[in-house]
Amino acid sequence: MRRLIALVSVYLLVVLFVARPVNPVPASAEPGGAADASESPSMLSGYSADSSRAEREWESKFRAIPSPVNQRNYMERLSAHPHHVGTEYDRENAEWILSQFKLWGWDAHIENFDVLFPTPKERVVELVAPTHFTATLEEPTVSVDPTSDQHSDQLPTYNAYSADGDVTAPLVYVNYGIPADYEELERLGVSVKGAIVIARYGMSWRGIKPKVAAEHGAVGCLIYSDPHEDGYFRGDVFPGGAWRPLEGVQRGSVMDMVLYPGDPLTPGVGATKDAKRLPLSEAKTITKIPVLPISYGDAQPLLSALRGPVAPEHWRGSLAITYHVGPGPAKVHLKVKANWDTKTLNDVIARIPGSTSPDEWVVRGNHEDGWVNGAEDPVSGAVAEMEEARAMGELLKQGWKPHRTLIYCIWDGEEEGLLGSTEWGEAHADELRQHAAVYINSDGNGRGYLGAEGSHTLEKFVNGVARDIEDPETKLTVWKRHELELIAHGTAEERKEARTHSDWHISALGSGSDYTVFIDHLGIASLNLGYGGESGGGIYHSIYDDFYWYTHFGDTDFTYGRALAQTAGTAMMRLADAELLPYDFTGLAETIHTYDDELKKLLKDKQEAVRERNLEIDEGVFTATNNPKEPLVPPTKEDPPPYLNFAPLDNAADALTRSATHYQKALEKARADGGAALAHASLEQVNELLIESERKLTSSDGLPGRPWFEHQIYAPGFYTGYGVKTLPAAREAIEQKKWKEADEGLAEIGRILDGEAALIQQAADELEKATK
């Protein structure tokens, strides 16, 4: 669903030769960059010198096993037919994957959940004035693409969890349909009340667009893929190239997942057969207005019929028209009617029990279901996870046993709203809160650079893993290639940081993939991994995301599929076997200080902007510069934002830094003399505290208005959907001018961070005691 690279340029993965084992390359041996003294080639974080050597030997054996040929074969089988939730082929895929895990020596089973999944019964989009045009709402067969003709099995082009509706109204173009666009419409004197809006994909998750439209009084919403972001402006279109063709459509869910993901009728509990369900009328995540996605071929006649103000320059796409905002004279008839059925999910759950710490779990996941054939999204990621599992099965035969329990999950129903992972996470919430140390996610893959997002307690750890993986194209480590990409394409600050810091920073997680229930709801430290940046394309959520497209325009030799299997598998093994879980708190403390500074700057910028605008109103600037032939509505004066009390956050951030420093010193002492103290210490209590550290960043009350989202440091934005908002209780309150709520949020975040600092202090004390 979500991707690590911009727009809908989605990842692809895979490899056609069996590469040699990758020898670890220390940072100090690579040209440029700063060496990381604490992550030497002989000693891994959380390991003694002896256990590091043994671990590296097993990891080297592991990385030699994943086969590009196997991944290609898995993909061909899994993507041979459409396999969305509730289809026979979706069930067959789950059963086949289950059989493979069992064949590889895993203890595996399928868990079922029954979820609401609407599918389209009626869809109509037609221009009824000033001329008549009926949208095709269909993606045609492409003669060279053998699975594009499976129309009877394909889901039609639609947005799942759209409200039913039959409306006829004037059309208004709203650019990306985000809140800032409606502010510009207000200056243009244009209202969408009683109108159908048309928005282009981009700048937010698609479900935000009908949500904001409804908040402004619109009665319907159309979403189209403009060729500027997703078509011929980007490159040659399919089948001549990788990009979205004239009639290509991006399906997708519009469930209001920023309230809660998963089954709309069972929020907070697993959707088992006997679960108590809400009436459909009480489901809060169904849209308030009908919405449909359309191609740019269907969008152009609608947009061409608009008049009214010419759209601002940055609103204009790449269609061969003058973009007008409307309203009028274009009037559109939109009809959406769905079958509101219950379908059964098939989650494949496999495990290898831990040999010494079976009650500590390391969890891995990627989904298998697709909107249609889904070769790139998600099968390219699923086949990498499968090869990881096969490789670990081979290691089991050679005598390797993980110290902690490994759980590998192939999720169902991710596309519709993170259904399979959310329902499983909710059903097993108590166990997961007690036992789960880390969750590692992927969601498709591509060719290019390693992308890593996640909990900042795992930032140093994932840098260490990246230093041990060879990039298939350059033969540098993927860590070094990522660093050089930052130098080549980053900002001045990013270039400076890449050249002077021992580790590159990872981004925080918002939502849009299966990690959401683990980090946002359960407080389990999480990572999202994938390669991309060089293999763009415009087939996201269309019938053309299939084996033909992937093997012609994706990562056609599957080398980065192997790299993903090596990366995620190495991370899983390293987490499973560490004597001391390799959390790092100095990076977390540094990041919290950065977020603190960002909030202060956000508030200051808003204060200065309001003061300047008020001054310009008093000076008559807007009246004097208003073009009478293209008039704008002048802004009104408002009170500047008040000063907020940052003291609770500042004090807690400092306390966190002190505790992190104490823990780091305790860790360095334990690692002295080859980590002999680690090898002989009883670290059970320390590890229990480390596992609890991410839970401490949550509140059982959740975020204001969003109790399901319990994490107080990271959350998807209420008006971004996928995009993260850090320190969300305070940041979003400032953005939405809720000043009392902002002060309360700062106080609550301070309280949460004080608790985290105390736990880290306790962990440091226990580590010192255990390694005396």
Side-chain angles (χ1 to χ4, degrees):
M1 179 180 287
R2 183 177 184 271
R3 297 296 168 264
L4 289 168
I5 49 182
L7 302 169
V8 292
S9 177
V10 222
Y11 294 160
L12 311 120
L13 98 316
V14 237
V15 213
L16 273 184
F17 64 93
V18 178
R20 65 187 184 281
V22 179
N23 294 318
V25 183
S28 57
E30 297 182 297
D36 183 357
S38 67
E39 195 72 39
S40 73
S42 60
M43 201 163 156
L44 297 167
S45 180
Y47 288 76
S48 66
D50 288 343
S51 61
S52 287
R53 281 190 289 272
E55 175 67 16
R56 286 192 181 279
E57 288 177 5
W58 283 117
E59 289 178 7
S60 183
K61 291 177 182 179
F62 164 79
R63 289 194 290 269
I65 297 172
S67 162
V69 174
N70 284 350
Q71 292 193 36
R72 180 187 175 95
N73 291 340
Y74 300 159
M75 177 181 283
E76 187 169 21
R77 193 260 180 242
L78 292 171
S79 66
H81 299 279
H83 52 282
H84 56 273
V85 167
T87 59
E88 181 64 20
Y89 205 69
D90 182 55
R91 184 187 61 79
E92 290 178 12
N93 273 351
E95 291 177 349
W96 180 75
I97 293 169
L98 175 67
S99 70
Q100 299 303 299
F101 272 102
K102 289 182 174 180
L103 183 67
W104 301 329
W106 292 68
D107 178 11
H109 65 281
I110 289 175
E111 288 195 37
N112 298 123
F113 299 96
D114 296 321
V115 296
L116 179 70
F117 177 42
T119 53
K121 184 185 297 183
E122 294 183 60
R123 300 167 302 131
V124 175
V125 175
E126 56 183 343
L127 181 69
V128 296
T131 57
H132 191 271
F133 165 77
T134 301
T136 61
L137 306 180
E138 185 176 319
E139 295 178 300
T141 297
V142 172
S143 60
V144 297
D145 184 348
T147 62
S148 65
D149 68 351
Q150 298 172 336
H151 296 294
S152 62
D153 295 328
Q154 295 165 355
L155 273 175
T157 58
Y158 84 118
N159 289 130
Y161 304 102
S162 162
D164 289 345
D166 189 345
V167 293
T168 300
L171 186 67
V172 176
Y173 173 54
V174 296
N175 194 26
Y176 296 111
I178 59 178
D181 294 325
Y182 287 88
E183 292 176 9
E184 289 205 57
L185 284 175
E186 187 176 347
R187 291 291 320 277
L188 291 168
V190 174
S191 170
V192 303
K193 189 172 183 179
I196 294 171
V197 304
I198 181 168
R200 54 176 167 162
Y201 274 111
M203 296 302 291
S204 76
W205 172 62
R206 74 185 72 81
I208 299 301
K209 302 172 193 295
K211 172 180 175 174
V212 178
E215 289 176 352
H216 286 81
V219 297
C221 178
L222 300 172
I223 313 175
Y224 81 103
S225 302
D226 195 284
H228 189 80
E229 290 82 24
D230 193 12
Y232 51 74
F233 183 84
R234 307 283 295 176
D236 291 330
V237 302
F238 187 72
W243 291 92
R244 194 175 300 274
L246 179 71
E247 293 167 300
V249 181
Q250 183 191 139
R251 296 156 182 78
S253 175
V254 289
M255 178 195 296
D256 197 358
M257 288 188 286
V258 299
L259 294 179
Y260 59 87
D263 177 33
L265 304 184
T266 58
V269 298
T272 55
K273 288 188 180 299
D274 58 353
K276 184 178 180 181
R277 286 169 166 77
L278 297 173
L280 182 60
S281 61
E282 295 180 15
K284 295 180 179 180
T285 55
I286 309 297
T287 67
K288 302 296 188 290
I289 58 176
V291 53
L292 276 178
I294 60 176
S295 66
Y296 57 86
D298 279 341
Q300 182 160 340
L302 307 182
L303 292 167
S304 298
L306 284 172
R307 292 297 176 263
V310 173
E313 184 174 352
H314 59 282
W315 285 36
R316 302 169 198 169
S318 293
L319 293 171
I321 61 172
T322 299
Y323 284 72
H324 288 265
V325 171
K331 184 177 285 189
V332 167
H333 174 216
L334 167 64
K335 184 176 183 180
V336 177
K337 190 174 183 180
N339 295 299
W340 293 89
D341 297 330
T342 297
K343 301 292 185 181
T344 299
L345 299 176
N346 301 283
D347 287 341
V348 181
I349 311 297
R351 72 175 61 209
I352 299 174
S355 58
T356 59
S357 301
D359 289 336
E360 296 176 4
W361 301 349
V362 184
V363 188
R364 173 81 170 94
N366 196 106
H367 71 105
E368 172 277 326
D369 66 293
W371 277 110
V372 196
N373 298 76
E376 191 283 327
D377 178 19
V379 170
S380 61
V383 298
E385 184 182 346
M386 290 176 67
E387 270 299 272
E388 291 168 43
R390 186 184 71 84
M392 289 177 188
E394 291 297 314
L395 295 188
L396 289 174
K397 296 175 184 176
Q398 299 174 36
W400 171 76
K401 291 181 180 179
H403 293 177
R404 295 180 178 85
T405 295
L406 292 176
I407 301 178
Y408 267 55
C409 309
I410 301 290
W411 307 116
D412 198 1
E414 189 271 359
E415 295 293 2
E416 294 76 15
L418 318 181
L419 301 176
S421 57
T422 300
E423 299 315 313
W424 188 81
E426 290 175 340
H428 297 278
D430 291 342
E431 298 168 84
L432 287 165
R433 286 190 176 105
Q434 183 177 355
H435 300 296
V438 175
Y439 173 74
I440 294 181
N441 189 71
S442 58
D443 187 349
N445 194 53
R447 183 173 59 83
Y449 307 96
L450 174 63
E453 308 163 293
S455 302
H456 287 90
T457 51
L458 298 174
E459 183 173 84
K460 185 173 287 293
F461 167 76
V462 78
N463 272 264
V465 171
R467 286 185 169 98
D468 286 345
I469 308 299
E470 184 180 83
D471 177 75
E473 293 177 335
T474 65
K475 308 309 176 187
L476 298 169
T477 68
V478 299
W479 182 90
K480 188 63 182 179
R481 192 172 190 223
H482 179 100
E483 179 199 54
L484 294 176
E485 194 271 338
L486 287 175
I487 293 172
H489 301 118
T491 64
E493 183 62 31
E494 287 171 334
R495 288 196 296 273
K496 179 182 177 182
E497 186 175 277
R499 288 177 169 132
T500 58
H501 281 57
S502 60
D503 293 318
W504 36 261
H505 289 304
I506 63 174
S507 301
L509 286 170
S511 185
S513 194
D514 289 306
Y515 51 76
T516 303
V517 70
F518 295 96
I519 187 166
D520 290 327
H521 185 61
L522 299 174
I524 296 166
S526 298
L527 287 171
N528 189 48
L529 302 176
Y531 288 84
E534 293 183 333
S535 54
I539 44 71
Y540 181 58
H541 290 188
S542 79
I543 67 171
Y544 310 119
D545 179 5
D546 58 17
F547 188 71
Y548 176 88
W549 182 92
Y550 196 86
T551 54
H552 285 76
F553 300 106
D555 178 26
T556 56
D557 63 0
F558 287 67
T559 49
Y560 281 94
R562 189 170 196 268
L564 178 58
Q566 291 171 329
T567 305
T570 297
M572 292 293 291
M573 292 178 65
R574 198 167 290 183
L575 287 163
D577 292 339
E579 288 146 320
L580 181 71
L581 282 164
Y583 292 83
D584 170 75
F585 300 105
T586 56
L588 173 65
E590 179 184 338
T591 300
I592 293 298
H593 278 285
T594 298
Y595 295 161
D596 187 359
D597 292 342
E598 288 174 357
L599 285 188
K600 291 171 182 171
K601 184 178 186 301
L602 174 64
L603 179 63
K604 182 180 178 182
D605 289 349
K606 284 186 173 293
Q607 289 169 333
E608 291 177 351
V610 170
R611 291 187 186 112
E612 173 62 24
R613 188 168 60 247
N614 287 347
L615 179 59
E616 291 177 8
I617 292 170
D618 289 340
E619 293 171 333
V621 169
F622 295 99
T623 302
T625 60
N626 205 358
N627 182 346
K629 303 232 181 245
E630 298 176 5
L632 296 175
V633 177
T636 57
K637 293 180 72 171
E638 60 180 284
D639 293 332
Y643 292 98
L644 299 176
N645 181 15
F646 281 88
L649 176 56
D650 291 341
N651 291 332
D654 286 347
L656 184 64
T657 297
R658 290 192 297 271
S659 293
T661 301
H662 182 190
Y663 182 83
Q664 186 62 27
K665 288 179 179 177
L667 180 60
E668 289 170 0
K669 185 178 179 181
R671 287 166 58 84
D673 300 321
L678 286 177
H680 300 100
S682 175
L683 299 171
E684 183 178 350
Q685 285 185 301
V686 184
N687 281 323
E688 286 178 0
L689 289 169
L690 295 177
I691 290 173
E692 184 68 17
S693 65
E694 197 81 21
R695 317 284 197 272
K696 278 290 184 181
L697 298 175
T698 68
S699 166
S700 59
D701 293 332
L703 294 175
R706 300 195 280 163
W708 190 91
F709 286 90
E710 297 188 7
H711 210 291
Q712 300 298 301
I713 309 302
Y714 320 117
F718 192 75
Y719 287 114
T720 59
Y722 288 170
V724 67
K725 293 291 182 179
T726 54
L727 309 186
R731 186 182 299 271
E732 293 200 305
I734 293 172
E735 290 173 343
Q736 297 170 26
K737 304 176 184 178
K738 298 177 179 178
W739 310 120
K740 182 176 181 292
E741 194 172 288
D743 256 336
E744 292 170 350
L746 290 168
E748 175 64 8
I749 295 165
R751 185 189 69 79
I752 290 290
L753 291 175
D754 280 335
E756 177 78 344
L759 181 139
I760 296 169
Q761 185 72 28
Q762 184 182 356
D765 293 341
E766 289 292 337
L767 181 58
E768 288 174 334
K769 189 187 307 180
T771 56
K772 279 183 178 177

